[in-house]
Amino acid sequence: MEPRRLNKFISDSGYCSRREADKLIEQGRVTVNGKQPEVGTKVTTRDKVRVDGNLLEVDAVEPVYLLLNKPPGIETTTDTSQKDNIISFTNYPERIFPVGRLDKDSEGLIILTNNGDIVNKILRAGNNHEKEYIVTVDKPINQNFVERMSNGVPILGVNTRKCFVEQLGATKFRIILTQGMNRQIRRMCEALGYEVQTLQRTRIMHLSLAKIPLGQWRNMTDAEVAEMMRLVERSSKTAEEPSVKKASSGVAPSKPKSSKPRSSSSTSRPGKQSSSPRSGKSTAASKPGKSKSSGSARGARGAAKSGSSAGRGRTSSGKGGRRR
């Protein structure tokens, strides 16, 4: 096998993302053949790579892709020493990590995987991957609010990208973003004099929250994985959201595709937004005799291979309480 960078090797093993791997290397917790590696070290499967003394095996790891309906009160962190962390809550038998973040006070869809390449490709802001949210605020909104939100709001020293915003009720709206600045929606609302009361992420790209109960997760179907691979095929592998300094370089942000959402019913018809013939429903039926009850703390291994069209979805509840 051709040499690969050490952080990618660690990510490919399913231990953590590349960014977290870099931190482990900097902290001196990684060894290669018993020695501390240098920056930029490349390794192969013949090398003995250990993290905290534990040997990593890359080729033996099967890809895992989960969809979790995260409840409020759960921290999107892989630090299992931190209370209410998402890893302990999910209680999956294999090592996985979340794709991006969702505020502790927010709820909704989040992807968990052991594929570090997917993490980088989905998070990269320049790839314009859509994320959809349903938000309620503390006082009535109007058309002026919708227009100002959709045209971009100045936060963190930069104007947010133009986006799709639709009013759903007196204090409720739907918003589709293609960037992921820190607490972006909450900061946008605050800039306009509103405070977010509830925030739910209902969709990431073609993946929908539909039929996943709060606090439970399921494996992605083979069709969903295949469509995800197609969507990120040409995605850059570089880091996620650029820094504020870079974003404020004076170049006006381009208008994303999200200004015209794929479907006005994207939250109720998951998997239908894409034109790919391999995309399917986001909720797969469990195989007879192998389904687990909502009280189960573990689910079957989510090895969803893009060459197959059969779904393997299951649901399982996590541990932990709901709080705001």
Side-chain angles (χ1 to χ4, degrees):
M1 177 177 285
E2 298 218 355
R4 71 188 94 173
R5 291 182 67 88
L6 180 57
N7 62 351
K8 186 178 189 306
F9 183 96
I10 296 173
S11 174
D12 289 346
S13 75
Y15 193 90
C16 62
S17 68
R18 287 196 204 183
R19 295 176 67 186
E20 291 173 323
D22 286 332
K23 294 178 182 178
L24 293 175
I25 296 169
E26 292 173 1
Q27 293 166 1
R29 296 168 59 185
V30 179
T31 61
V32 178
N33 301 323
K35 299 179 180 179
Q36 291 286 335
E38 297 179 357
V39 176
T41 294
K42 291 188 176 182
V43 296
T44 70
T45 53
R46 293 188 296 272
D47 292 302
K48 302 297 182 183
V49 178
R50 288 182 167 84
V51 177
D52 295 333
N54 299 313
L55 182 65
L56 303 183
E57 297 181 23
V58 172
D59 293 342
V61 176
E62 198 169 9
V64 173
Y65 304 101
L66 306 181
L67 298 178
L68 168 70
N69 187 349
K70 186 191 89 67
I74 299 301
E75 291 274 12
T76 311
T77 178
T78 57
D79 183 0
T80 54
S81 66
Q82 187 167 329
K83 184 180 179 182
D84 297 324
N85 69 85
I86 196 169
I87 302 302
S88 298
F89 177 82
T90 307
N91 197 30
Y92 192 74
E94 307 291 339
R95 185 181 292 276
I96 54 176
F97 42 89
V99 178
R101 297 182 59 83
L102 197 56
D103 294 339
K104 182 176 182 179
D105 295 332
S106 302
E107 64 181 77
L109 188 65
I110 192 163
I111 302 170
L112 295 111
T113 183
N114 58 2
N115 185 340
D117 281 341
I118 286 292
V119 174
N120 291 325
K121 290 179 178 181
I122 293 176
L123 292 184
R124 174 63 176 169
N127 295 328
N128 296 327
H129 298 310
E130 293 182 350
K131 288 167 286 186
E132 182 171 336
Y133 304 81
I134 302 296
V135 186
T136 59
V137 288
D138 61 336
K139 56 187 177 182
I141 60 177
N142 51 32
Q143 187 59 32
N144 180 56
F145 172 89
V146 171
E147 290 178 359
R148 293 176 68 186
M149 287 285 285
S150 62
N151 286 322
V153 178
I155 63 170
L156 300 175
V158 62
N159 271 8
T160 58
R161 285 183 182 172
K162 291 186 177 181
C163 61
F164 175 84
V165 180
E166 176 188 24
Q167 184 170 355
L168 300 179
T171 60
K172 180 183 292 188
F173 65 94
R174 180 165 69 104
I175 183 169
I176 301 176
L177 301 179
T178 56
Q179 62 184 149
M181 300 172 67
N182 182 34
R183 298 177 67 86
Q184 180 171 342
I185 296 175
R186 294 179 186 274
R187 292 179 188 274
M188 290 172 71
C189 290
E190 288 171 5
L192 300 183
Y194 291 79
E195 181 179 337
V196 170
Q197 300 296 300
T198 64
L199 191 154
Q200 179 190 52
R201 183 157 63 197
T202 59
R203 178 170 66 87
I204 301 173
M205 300 187 297
H206 63 299
L207 303 165
S208 170
L209 187 64
K211 298 184 181 179
I212 305 178
L214 187 66
Q216 295 189 23
W217 57 262
R218 67 166 176 81
N219 295 300
M220 286 173 58
T221 67
D222 292 340
E224 287 171 334
V225 174
E227 176 65 0
M228 178 174 67
M229 296 301 182
R230 187 189 72 80
L231 291 172
V232 303
E233 184 177 7
R234 296 180 178 84
S235 293
S236 167
K237 295 181 181 180
T238 52
E240 62 178 297
E241 186 71 21
S243 66
V244 170
K245 182 178 180 180
K246 183 176 180 180
S248 58
S249 59
V251 179
S254 59
K255 188 175 182 179
K257 295 179 180 179
S258 59
S259 60
K260 292 183 179 181
R262 295 174 180 176
S263 170
S264 61
S265 59
S266 56
T267 57
S268 60
R269 296 185 62 191
K272 299 293 186 179
Q273 298 91 339
S274 173
S275 59
S276 170
R278 300 185 66 82
S279 66
K281 295 181 179 179
S282 67
T283 303
S286 300
K287 294 182 179 178
K290 294 185 179 181
S291 62
K292 291 188 179 290
S293 65
S294 60
S296 173
R298 296 177 61 171
R301 191 170 186 168
K305 299 181 179 179
S306 60
S308 170
S309 61
R312 297 179 183 173
R314 296 177 186 171
T315 59
S316 175
S317 65
K319 302 186 297 183
R322 176 177 179 175
R323 62 186 174 89
R324 288 201 174 274

